[in-house]
Amino acid sequence: GARLVAIVDPGVRRDPGYDVYDEGIRGGHFVLNEGGSVHEGTLWPGWAVFPDFTRPATRSWWASYYDRLLDKGITGIWHDMNEPTSLTFDGDRTLPRSARHDNEGHGGDHREAHNVYGMMMNRAGFDALAAARPDQRPFLLSRSGWAGLQRHAWTWTADVEATHRGLAQQIPTFLGLGLSGVAYTGSDIGGFSGTPSPELYLRWLELGVFSPFCRTHSVLGVAPREPWCWPEETQRRIERLLSLRYRLLPLLYTEAWVTATTGAPLLRPLWFDEPMAADEIAECDDAFMLGSSILFAQVTEIAEATRTVPLPAGTWWRWNAATDERGRLDLCERFAGGTTPVVRSAPGEPVVFLRGGSIVVLDDAWRGEMRPEGGLAHDHHAVRPALHVVPADDGTASGVWFDDAGDGFGVSRVDALAFDGTALEWRSEGEWPRPLEVDVVFHARVLGAATVDGADVDPSAISVEGPTTRIRTGAFSRLEVSDPAVSARTP
């Protein structure tokens, strides 16, 4: 049931008799020295040579080898060490500036090729995967690239130290990448170099759950960090955060589509929708917006149990996205924009706010301690999709939901959701069908009755939990709701 991703490095072992090396020599596919000989450096296989990905014929030749991995069941490729790296004890750990490249037929040295070398490798890999599996989206993860990388690969922030300082640097890096067009990114949860404490790992996992790319990874030789390797209480908190990640998938999938469609990054500075924001908003580099609806604030000082959050304009609701120490889950408290509230946050309890006036789609099969039967499916589709209506001060809300056939290029659907305080309109474009059942969750609203496209909703399908009402129904065009006092007067 696992999907496997293989690492592919650009360093080809200098080994006469190895077919990749021999074919590359015959085809003139390797980077040359200034005098015309093949440049030799060192990488994991020892002495190595490096394909010249700035040459179109070399990209095509390199792409021809990916079938070997796909035919053995590999589903994705991780391009590593593609700055390119050439290991050395002294000087730049890359190719010499004098090394010669094709540069799309124009010639030139490594000073011109260095910054695009990784991106051209990604282009070759993307073309290979697309040609071999045209009905699937290529998945590439790349350590290096350049502006335009997002057309071919995801990326991550590489070998970060496992310290609170390393964690604090991740959000500025994410935001800088996103504003540069490289939106699909993440970090090695817990840090790459070193062993994080349980508290640091939990704080880093909080960030990873709300990042586009979510994975844990480390250097060889440090303590293991799989979820089952921690103390029992830490394991429980990790499990809650992983469940939250799965709950967020419909939202993350929609925001990935928004990025691909508009160019707006998934992770945005707090000022993104408020360019004239106050200084505390404009200068905040340890919080971000996920899309336009969710505000995430990182706790970077591990011993801290509180966090001051500068809120942009509007209405905000503190979201207990993972069950907190008092057993609370989901929305709890309203805050006014333009304020800087101090909120509590134990490790494993991310500081998250939802923007008032939003409708966000979650998979509530993973809500709290809930788990769907069979666990996480291979496709991305929500087991129990839920439309969470988070009211603005006037009671209204709106949102968008994107869904499609899955891993490929099949039909899709774009939903526009709008609530005017009384009726929720659900309009769809596209051929991908709506789900058979959904939950509609009205936060900060206790309701007594509802109708779906003119038909009364069975009262057993309406449940109230604190100030929140949940309605279980089929897909609809118009859902009308009424407060208890109104419904009691209705004949």
Side-chain angles (χ1 to χ4, degrees):
R3 288 181 173 175
L4 302 180
V5 175
I7 291 180
V8 174
D9 290 352
V12 175
R13 181 177 176 84
R14 184 194 66 185
D15 184 5
Y18 173 37
D19 60 344
V20 180
Y21 175 80
D22 291 343
E23 291 172 13
I25 291 293
R26 287 196 297 269
H29 293 306
F30 296 127
V31 174
L32 302 177
N33 291 314
E34 192 172 12
S37 60
V38 173
H39 174 74
E40 296 178 354
T42 53
L43 205 53
W44 306 132
W47 284 108
V49 293
F50 298 83
D52 183 3
F53 294 114
T54 70
R55 182 176 182 240
T58 298
R59 293 196 296 271
S60 297
W61 165 75
W62 186 261
S64 69
Y65 289 110
Y66 285 73
D67 278 351
R68 296 183 179 188
L69 296 170
L70 299 178
D71 290 346
K72 294 184 181 298
I74 296 297
T75 57
I77 301 295
W78 170 2
H79 285 164
D80 203 10
M81 314 304 286
N82 58 340
E83 291 81 12
T85 295
S86 182
L87 301 175
T88 178
F89 289 112
D90 188 29
D92 291 340
R93 299 181 68 171
T94 187
L95 304 187
R97 290 170 171 78
S98 59
R100 305 300 297 175
H101 291 264
D102 180 77
N103 285 337
E104 305 295 323
H106 298 289
D109 60 29
H110 192 64
R111 292 175 298 178
E112 298 174 72
H114 180 82
N115 286 350
V116 297
Y117 186 91
M119 186 171 69
M120 292 296 100
M121 181 184 185
N122 296 330
R123 180 176 173 181
F126 183 93
D127 291 345
L129 298 182
R133 304 287 189 269
D135 58 336
Q136 298 177 13
R137 297 181 189 132
F139 178 76
L140 280 172
L141 175 67
S142 178
R143 173 161 141 149
S144 187
W146 190 245
L149 163 72
Q150 69 275 10
R151 293 173 293 182
H152 305 125
W154 290 47
T155 190
W156 86 106
T157 56
D159 298 351
V160 179
E161 61 183 21
T163 64
H164 74 272
R165 184 176 64 179
L167 171 59
Q169 181 56 41
Q170 298 315 295
I171 290 180
T173 304
F174 292 170
L175 295 178
L177 285 167
L179 293 171
S180 302
V182 183
Y184 306 113
T185 191
S187 63
D188 289 342
I189 293 170
F192 177 78
S193 303
T195 298
S197 67
E199 293 78 13
L200 177 59
Y201 189 82
L202 285 168
R203 291 303 190 192
W204 215 308
L205 183 56
E206 292 171 13
L207 173 62
V209 161
F210 286 89
S211 303
F213 183 54
C214 178
R215 74 148 183 195
T216 190
H217 179 57
S218 65
V219 68
L220 287 172
V222 298
R225 62 182 65 179
E226 286 80 9
W228 53 87
C229 296
W230 298 92
E232 185 175 350
E233 177 57 31
T234 304
Q235 288 185 39
R236 285 196 292 268
R237 293 172 182 267
I238 289 172
E239 184 178 3
R240 291 172 189 163
L241 288 171
L242 292 179
S243 292
L244 173 59
R245 174 68 176 191
Y246 299 152
R247 191 184 183 197
L248 288 168
L249 286 180
L251 171 67
L252 290 162
Y253 203 75
T254 296
E255 294 300 339
W257 168 78
V258 169
T259 290
T261 304
T262 69
L266 277 84
L267 308 186
R268 308 169 184 179
L270 299 189
W271 52 258
F272 193 81
D273 294 320
E274 193 180 344
M276 302 304 292
D279 288 348
E280 59 266 24
I281 300 293
E283 296 173 3
C284 181
D285 64 356
D286 56 1
F288 59 76
M289 296 296 304
L290 171 56
S292 60
S293 301
I294 289 184
L295 187 157
F296 172 89
Q298 182 69 65
V299 178
T300 56
E301 296 296 334
I302 306 307
E304 292 295 323
T306 60
R307 164 70 208 245
T308 301
V309 184
L311 295 176
T315 301
W316 297 90
W317 296 86
R318 171 73 191 276
W319 182 28
N320 286 329
T323 306
D324 68 11
E325 291 179 324
R326 295 166 58 184
R328 299 177 302 179
L329 182 65
D330 286 341
L331 294 184
C332 288
E333 189 174 0
R334 176 189 175 279
F335 292 88
T339 62
T340 54
V342 178
V343 297
R344 289 192 57 79
S345 171
E349 300 170 14
V351 177
V352 186
F353 289 80
L354 295 179
R355 186 192 296 272
S358 301
I359 299 177
V360 296
V361 184
L362 306 172
D363 184 356
D364 277 3
W366 297 92
R367 180 175 181 263
E369 304 300 323
M370 297 171 62
R371 306 287 185 274
E373 185 177 351
L376 184 66
H378 264 192
D379 63 40
H380 70 279
H381 299 118
V383 176
R384 187 172 181 173
L387 315 180
H388 285 258
V389 181
V390 185
D393 286 342
D394 62 1
T396 64
S398 62
V400 65
W401 181 15
F402 174 81
D403 204 3
D404 64 11
D407 185 12
F409 304 93
V411 296
S412 62
R413 188 189 78 246
V414 180
D415 298 330
L417 305 163
F419 182 60
D420 63 5
T422 301
L424 174 59
E425 301 278 355
W426 182 356
R427 295 191 176 93
S428 299
E429 294 184 2
E431 300 178 26
W432 183 247
R434 292 175 171 182
L436 297 177
E437 287 188 314
V438 295
D439 285 359
V440 184
V441 185
F442 293 91
H443 293 280
R445 186 81 179 270
V446 176
L447 301 170
T451 62
V452 170
D453 296 330
D456 290 340
V457 174
D458 189 327
S460 66
I462 303 175
S463 59
V464 177
E465 180 181 332
T468 296
T469 302
R470 183 180 295 265
I471 300 174
R472 186 72 166 165
T473 181
F476 59 87
S477 296
R478 183 178 176 87
L479 170 66
E480 295 186 64
V481 298
S482 57
D483 297 328
V486 175
S487 63
R489 294 195 299 269
T490 302

